[in-house]
Amino acid sequence: MILRLLLIFIAVSINLSAAPQKVLAVAYKNKTIQRPIIILDAGHGGLDKGAKIQYPYLEEKRLSLSLTLLAKKYLEQLGYKVILTRAKDYFVPLKKRVEFANEAKAEIFVSIHFNSCPNKTAHGIEIYYHNSLENKVKAKTSLNLAQCILSDIIKKTKARSRGVKKGKFCVIKDTKMPAILIEAGFLTNPQERDNIRKTIYLDKISLGIAEGVESFINKYF
Ligand SMILES: [Zn+2]
């Protein structure tokens, strides 16, 4: 009897401690629901360090990879299949990133960067999409994706929104699926940089990315 009670207690505790996202992920696995494939593209890498700060020494390529790995974790908890264009500190040409995404038949492409500016007061988060005139469906869905993700990142971080902007970066222009490029804050702004250096803050941005993808899928897929 005591053993039975103990087993029930353990079972209830396990159930209560399971995070809702994990329960959802298990449900997706068990029902074998196919969720969209997402490409996360950590900006720069290897010899291409991206934006650099001397004091304290920071490299964009490392921060973009840290944020990408956190976003991957949260998206996988929601049941998405996530593919990375780079999982370590190595250089991947932009064209290769595009080819990789197109060949993987991914449904969503998210490139992750941090910003810099000679004006140290510049701060906030902005997201770029390509306003393609040849592919209006891609332009519209990319815009929707950018709006969903920006809104969720701002909710989580309380950072300043610099809005959704049009851009012609190769990774968002030449990919075939809805594609966006996140500039997740300015390394040149002392206050924002202090936040970005903390894992707890990167965690908030990555949760915003994952929840933004989820809002986009629920609204438009
Ligand atoms: Zn960059």
Side-chain angles (χ1 to χ4, degrees), residues 43-44 50-51 60 64 112-115 181 183:
H44 313 280
E60 183 190 351
S64 66
I112 294 177
H113 290 251
F114 287 91
N115 232 331
L181 186 145
E183 290 283 3

Side-chain angles (χ1 to χ4, degrees), residues 167-185:
K168 287 187 176 167
F169 307 110
C170 167
V171 289
I172 52 172
K173 184 166 69 65
D174 299 335
T175 37
K176 289 183 182 148
M177 66 294 305
I180 59 161
L181 186 145
I182 304 173
E183 290 283 3

Side-chain angles (χ1 to χ4, degrees), residues 9-64:
F9 174 75
I10 291 169
V12 168
S13 315
I14 290 169
N15 222 2
L16 286 176
S17 63
Q21 284 177 341
K22 281 205 174 142
V23 173
L24 190 67
V26 170
Y28 280 121
K29 258 187 202 158
N30 291 345
K31 289 180 192 164
T32 60
I33 294 174
Q34 274 285 317
R35 303 217 83 192
I37 297 173
I38 296 163
I39 301 270
L40 292 183
D41 174 49
H44 313 280
L47 287 174
D48 172 14
K49 294 182 168 64
K52 265 194 309 182
I53 301 295
Q54 290 306 330
Y55 303 105
Y57 188 73
L58 285 177
E59 292 172 343
E60 183 190 351
K61 66 169 185 176
R62 294 187 191 280
L63 293 163
S64 66

